[in-house]
Amino acid sequence: MDGRIQLRIPFPNCSTEFLHRHLEGNAGRKEKWKRAHLQLCVLLLLFFTFGLASAKKWDGVVVTQADFQALKALKHEFVDFRGVLNSWNDSGAGACTGWAGIKCVNGQVIAIQLPWKGLGGRISEKIGQLQALRRLSLHDNVLLGPVPTSLGFLPHLRGVYLFNNRLAGSIPPSIGNCLLLQTLDLSNNQLTGIIPPSLANSTRLHRLNLSFNGISGSIPMSLSRAPSLVFLALQHNNISGSIPASLSNLTMLEELNLSHNQIAGRIPDELGSLARLNSLDLSNNAISGSFPESLSKLSSLVTVNLKNNNLESQIPESIEKLGNLSVLDLSNNKFKGQIPDSIGNITSITSLHLSENNLTGEIPISLVNLQNLSSFDVSYNNLSGIVPSVLARKFNSSSFVGNIQLCGYSSSTPCPSPEPETRPSPSQGAPKHSRRRKLSTKDIILIAAGALLVVLLILCCVLICCLIRKKAASKAKNRKSGGGLVTDRSAKPAAAVGREDESGAEIGGKLVHFDGPFVFTADDLLSATAEIMGKSTYGTAYKATLEDNNQVAVKRLREKITKAQKEFEIEVAQLGKIRHPNILA
Ligand SMILES: *[C@@H]1O[C@H](CO)[C@@H](O)[C@H](O)[C@H]1NC(C)=O
Ligand SMILES: *[C@@H]1O[C@H](CO)[C@@H](O)[C@H](O)[C@H]1NC(C)=O
Ligand SMILES: *[C@@H]1O[C@H](CO)[C@@H](O)[C@H](O)[C@H]1NC(C)=O
Ligand SMILES: *[C@@H]1O[C@H](CO)[C@@H](O)[C@H](O)[C@H]1NC(C)=O
Ligand SMILES: *[C@@H]1O[C@H](CO)[C@@H](O)[C@H](O)[C@H]1NC(C)=O
Ligand SMILES: *[C@@H]1O[C@H](CO)[C@@H](O)[C@H](O)[C@H]1NC(C)=O
Ligand SMILES: *[C@@H]1O[C@H](CO)[C@@H](O)[C@H](O)[C@H]1NC(C)=O
Ligand SMILES: *[C@@H]1O[C@H](CO)[C@@H](O)[C@H](O)[C@H]1NC(C)=O
Ligand SMILES: *[C@@H]1O[C@H](CO)[C@@H](O)[C@H](O)[C@H]1NC(C)=O
C-alpha cells in the first residue's frame, strides 16, 4: 500500500490541490471548518510523505520515458539565468528524486514548482506529455511566450500558477478541457485576446485570476456555468461590454473584481443573489444606471467600490441593510439627492467616500454615530448646511471642500450667525444667492482678521509689561544675593507675606503683614538685603534686613499652592497674633 491511497480514501476533499490553494497565500477567507479540515489534511500529508518515502526508490527510478523527454524539452526552452536547473541533468534516473522543483508519483511528474527562480524563456508545448501533472507553479519568473495550448491535454491539472511573468498571446481555449481545474492564475502578464468561453467547462474552477493583462472582449456569459467560482478577478484589463446578469448563478462567489476596465451598462439587479459576496469592486469603468436596491440584500458585503463610473440617481436608503459593510466608495459618479440618513446605522463603516458627485442637502447628523469611521470624504458635491462638529473635528477640510454652501468645517468656513444680514431682493434667484454668500464669507474673514489683530495687540502689551516686571525682579534678586547677611539670629519679629510679585503696588502679589512693630512696603523689601532661610513646597522664606537695619522674616508663597486668598489671609493673621515666651515676637 502506498501513501497516496491512504490519502485519497478517507478524505476525498483532501487533495494536494486543496492544500496548495490554502498554502499559496492569497487564498482568501478561511472559514472555521476549512481550517479544521486543513489541519486534518496536514496530518494526513505527513502520513502521506512518510508512506511515500518507503515507496520512493520504486517511484523515483522509473520516471516514464514520456515525462523524462518532456522535462528535458522544458529545460531546453527555459533560460536558466541562475542555474537553478543544474540538477536537471541527463541521468534520467534522478528526475523524480533529485531534480529541483519536480514531484512524482509512480514515476510520473505530478507537480512542477519553480516560483521566484528568475527563469526566462518559454514554457515548452511538450509539457502536454506530463499526463499526470496536477500543479504547474512558475509564478514570479520572467517567462515569455504563450501559455502552452497543450495544457488542455492534461486531464488531472488542478492548479496553474503563472502570475507575475511576461507571458503574451491569448489564453488557450483548450484549458476548458481540464475538467478538474480549480485555480487558474495568469494575472500580471501581457496576455491579450478574449476570455475563452470554454473556460466554463472547468466546472470545478474555484479561483480565476486574469487581472493585470491586456484582455479584451466581454465577460463570457458561460462563466455562470462554473458554479464553484469563489474568486473572480478580472481587474486592470480592457474588458468591455456589460456585466452579464447570469453572473448571479455564481452563488459561491465571495470576491468580484472587475475594476479598471471599460465595462458599461448597468449593474444587474440579479447580483443581489450573490449571498456570499464580501468584496465588490467595479471601480474605474463606465457603468451607468443606479445603485441597485437589490445589492442591499448582500449582508456579507464588506467592501463596495464603485468609484469613477457614471452611476446616477439616489443612493438607496436601504443601503443600511449592509450590516457588515466597512468600505463604501461611490466617489466620482453622478449620484444626486441626499446622503441617506440611514448610513448612520451601518456602524461597521470605517471608510466612506462620496466625493465628486452631485449630492445635495445636509450631511446627516446620523453619521456621527459611525464611531469607527476613519476615512471620510464628501468633497466636491453640492452639499449645504453645517458640518456636524464631530466630523469637522475628526477630518480636515480636504474632506469637505468644493461644497460652496457647506460651512463650519474649518476656520475659514464659519457658519453665518443666526442674526439676519442685508438680503438682496429674493427675485434675483439662486446664483445671486450664492454670490451673497460669498460676499458675507469675505466680510466674516475681514472681521475675524480685525479681531485677531486686536487680540495680538493686547497680547503684545501684556508681554511687554511682564518683561518690564521680570527685569525689575531680577534686579532686586541680584541686590539681595549681593548683600546677604551671614549672622543667623533667627529673629522673627514679624513676617511679611507676598503672594506673587514682590512689588505689591502692582496687581498679582499682595503683602500681608502680621501684627508687629514694623510697617514696610513691598518697595522697602525690594531694597532690603536678604538671605534664604528655607524652601518648601509652599514657597521660599527669606530673612530680610531692611534699610533701617530691622530684620524681618518674609515668606513668599507660590501661586496656586495656598487655598483661597481670603481664607489664607485670615489664617495667617491669626498665626501672627500668637504670643508666647518661647516664640520671638
Ligand atoms: C546529476 O545531478 C545530480 C544532482 O545534482 C548529481 O547527484 C549527479 O551526479 C548528476 N549526474 C550527472 C551525470 O551529472
Ligand atoms: C489576482 O492577482 C492579482 C495580481 O497578481 C493579485 O493582486 C490579487 O490578489 C489576485 N486576486 C485573487 C483573488 O487571487
Ligand atoms: C466546452 O465548451 C465549449 C464552448 O463553451 C462547448 O462547445 C464544448 O462542448 C465544451 N466541451 C466539453 C467537453 O464540455
Ligand atoms: C455579516 O455577514 C454574515 C455572513 O458572512 C451574516 O451572517 C451576518 O448576518 C452579517 N451581519 C449583518 C449585521 O448583516
Ligand atoms: C436606524 O435603525 C433603527 C432601528 O432599526 C431605526 O429605528 C432608525 O430609524 C434607523 N435610523 C435611520 C436614520 O434610518
Ligand atoms: C469598531 O472597531 C473596534 C476595534 O477595531 C471593534 O472592536 C468594534 O467591533 C468596531 N465596531 C463596530 C460597530 O464595528
Ligand atoms: C447636478 O444637479 C443639477 C440639478 O440638480 C443639474 O443641473 C446638474 O447638471 C447636475 N450636475 C451633474 C454634473 O450631473
Ligand atoms: C446645487 O444645488 C442647487 C439646489 O440646491 C442647484 O440650484 C444648483 O444648480 C446646484 N449646483 C450644481 C453645480 O449642481
Ligand atoms: C488631510 O488629512 C489627510 C489624511 O487624513 C492628509 O493626507 C491631507 O494631506 C490633509 N489635508 C490637509 C489640507 O491638511
Side-chain angles (χ1 to χ4, degrees):
M1 252 319 104
D2 80 339
R4 195 162 29 97
I5 292 164
Q6 286 165 348
L7 178 72
R8 289 231 194 105
I9 291 168
F11 286 91
N13 260 345
C14 183
S15 60
T16 42
E17 186 51 37
F18 178 86
L19 281 165
H20 289 149
R21 245 192 295 132
H22 283 82
L23 302 173
E24 191 67 25
N26 52 3
R29 228 158 39 109
K30 288 164 198 155
E31 283 147 21
K32 254 190 195 147
W33 70 268
K34 266 191 193 162
R35 225 175 282 154
H37 187 60
L38 185 67
Q39 272 158 13
L40 265 176
C41 281
V42 170
L43 280 179
L44 280 168
L45 186 77
L46 291 176
F47 198 27
F48 169 68
T49 39
F50 182 75
L52 198 66
S54 58
K56 215 177 215 171
K57 255 177 237 154
W58 182 74
D59 263 356
V61 177
V62 194
V63 61
T64 64
Q65 194 57 26
D67 282 19
F68 180 57
Q69 294 303 333
L71 289 177
K72 268 174 68 180
L74 274 170
K75 184 184 176 181
H76 183 71
E77 292 203 29
F78 285 145
V79 177
D80 184 12
F81 296 106
R82 294 194 217 148
V84 291
L85 302 182
N86 285 347
S87 57
W88 291 31
N89 55 27
D90 282 341
S91 72
C96 286
T97 46
W99 286 23
I102 300 297
K103 285 209 173 84
C104 304
V105 168
N106 283 344
Q108 287 194 295
V109 176
I110 61 157
I112 299 177
Q113 295 190 85
L114 294 163
W116 295 292
K117 294 290 188 290
L119 286 176
R122 305 156 63 98
I123 306 169
S124 168
E125 284 287 349
K126 287 273 168 54
I127 200 168
Q129 286 181 28
L130 299 172
Q131 279 296 299
L133 194 68
R134 295 186 195 174
R135 177 184 173 84
L136 176 63
S137 177
L138 295 170
H139 63 86
D140 294 276
N141 283 295
V142 286
L143 293 166
L144 305 169
V147 177
T149 305
S150 59
L151 285 183
F153 304 148
L154 301 175
H156 300 289
L157 200 60
R158 287 167 167 83
V160 176
Y161 305 86
L162 298 176
F163 54 93
N164 299 345
N165 278 292
R166 294 173 195 165
L167 298 169
S170 53
I171 302 164
S174 60
I175 286 212
N177 297 334
C178 304
L179 298 182
L180 300 180
L181 194 65
Q182 293 171 341
T183 297
L184 179 60
D185 193 335
L186 305 176
S187 62
N188 201 15
N189 279 289
Q190 287 149 24
L191 299 170
T192 51
I194 60 163
I195 303 171
S198 60
L199 213 54
N201 290 358
S202 308
T203 51
R204 305 239 179 130
L205 207 56
H206 174 94
R207 182 147 65 97
L208 178 60
N209 194 343
L210 306 176
S211 61
F212 297 90
N213 279 292
I215 294 168
S216 51
S218 54
I219 302 167
M221 300 269 251
S222 64
L223 264 194
S224 56
R225 286 192 285 120
S228 20
L229 213 52
V230 175
F231 303 101
L232 179 56
L234 304 176
Q235 70 269 28
H236 291 268
N237 280 293
N238 295 323
I239 295 169
S240 51
S242 56
I243 304 169
S246 57
L247 278 192
S248 59
N249 293 339
L250 304 176
T251 50
M252 307 295 276
L253 206 61
E254 290 176 13
E255 195 179 314
L256 177 59
N257 193 337
L258 306 177
S259 67
H260 294 269
N261 279 293
Q262 285 135 38
I263 295 168
R266 300 170 44 257
I267 302 174
D269 281 337
E270 289 83 351
L271 291 194
S273 59
L274 299 176
R276 290 176 174 227
L277 201 64
N278 67 56
S279 172
L280 175 65
D281 191 345
L282 306 177
S283 62
N284 297 283
N285 279 292
I287 297 169
S288 54
S290 58
F291 186 107
E293 195 103 15
S294 64
L295 287 190
S296 311
K297 285 190 288 185
L298 303 179
S299 61
S300 302
L301 271 177
V302 175
T303 304
V304 173
N305 189 351
L306 304 179
K307 179 179 169 174
N308 299 345
N309 277 294
N310 297 322
L311 291 160
E312 56 194 10
S313 90
Q314 307 212 341
I315 304 170
E317 280 279 342
S318 60
I319 200 167
E320 70 171 320
K321 289 192 222 148
L322 300 177
N324 283 321
L325 196 63
S326 170
V327 176
L328 179 62
D329 194 337
L330 304 179
S331 46
N332 197 12
N333 277 286
K334 290 174 184 157
F335 285 111
K336 57 181 183 238
Q338 304 212 337
I339 300 174
D341 252 1
S342 61
I343 288 187
N345 268 354
I346 315 175
T347 50
S348 50
I349 282 202
T350 57
S351 171
L352 180 59
H353 286 227
L354 305 173
S355 63
E356 296 178 87
N357 278 292
N358 207 355
L359 297 166
T360 51
E362 301 198 347
I363 297 177
I365 189 77
S366 67
L367 296 192
V368 307
N369 298 335
L370 303 175
Q371 306 241 318
N372 284 1
L373 193 64
S374 57
S375 179
F376 181 69
D377 193 351
V378 292
S379 60
Y380 301 99
N381 275 291
N382 200 359
L383 297 166
S384 55
I386 302 170
V387 172
S389 59
V390 173
L391 296 177
R393 254 180 278 130
K394 211 160 159 186
F395 304 102
N396 65 28
S397 58
S398 58
S399 297
F400 304 101
V401 291
N403 294 284
I404 295 166
Q405 298 177 52
L406 202 59
C407 69
Y409 57 85
S410 71
S411 52
S412 56
T413 55
C415 292
S417 42
E419 72 251 28
E421 289 176 69
T422 48
R423 272 170 201 283
S425 59
S427 61
Q428 271 162 313
K432 184 75 194 175
H433 182 70
S434 72
R435 231 181 85 203
R436 185 184 68 81
R437 287 279 181 174
K438 251 190 208 159
L439 273 178
S440 74
T441 314
K442 221 187 243 168
D443 286 349
I444 286 161
I445 291 171
L446 278 175
I447 290 165
L452 203 78
L453 218 96
V454 170
V455 169
L456 274 175
L457 269 172
I458 291 172
L459 262 173
C460 271
C461 286
V462 169
L463 261 175
I464 288 168
C465 282
C466 281
L467 268 175
I468 288 172
R469 255 197 269 161
K470 268 263 165 68
K471 240 188 196 160
S474 65
K475 240 200 225 155
K477 253 190 199 147
N478 284 348
R479 235 180 290 165
K480 276 181 201 168
S481 54
L485 284 174
V486 196
T487 48
D488 183 13
R489 294 197 288 149
S490 60
K492 288 177 191 166
V497 183
R499 258 196 85 208
E500 195 186 359
D501 230 48
E502 285 94 334
S503 49
E506 288 176 48
I507 30 153
K510 192 179 176 194
L511 206 54
V512 179
H513 289 268
F514 281 55
D515 285 348
F518 314 116
V519 173
F520 52 90
T521 65
D523 284 326
D524 293 336
L525 261 187
L526 280 181
S527 49
T529 54
E531 68 170 346
I532 292 171
M533 292 199 299
K535 277 184 182 173
S536 72
T537 47
Y538 292 104
T540 311
Y542 301 91
K543 180 159 79 183
T545 308
L546 301 174
E547 277 184 331
D548 54 10
N549 268 337
N550 279 318
Q551 288 186 327
V552 293
V554 177
K555 179 128 185 157
R556 187 183 168 202
L557 278 108
R558 279 205 196 102
E559 213 181 0
K560 291 192 183 107
I561 287 290
T562 52
K563 303 188 223 176
Q565 193 173 341
K566 260 269 171 53
E567 270 176 75
F568 169 75
E569 280 173 25
I570 292 166
E571 276 180 37
V572 163
Q574 274 172 356
L575 264 177
K577 276 182 192 146
I578 298 173
R579 296 286 176 267
H580 190 271
N582 295 340
I583 297 179
L584 287 162

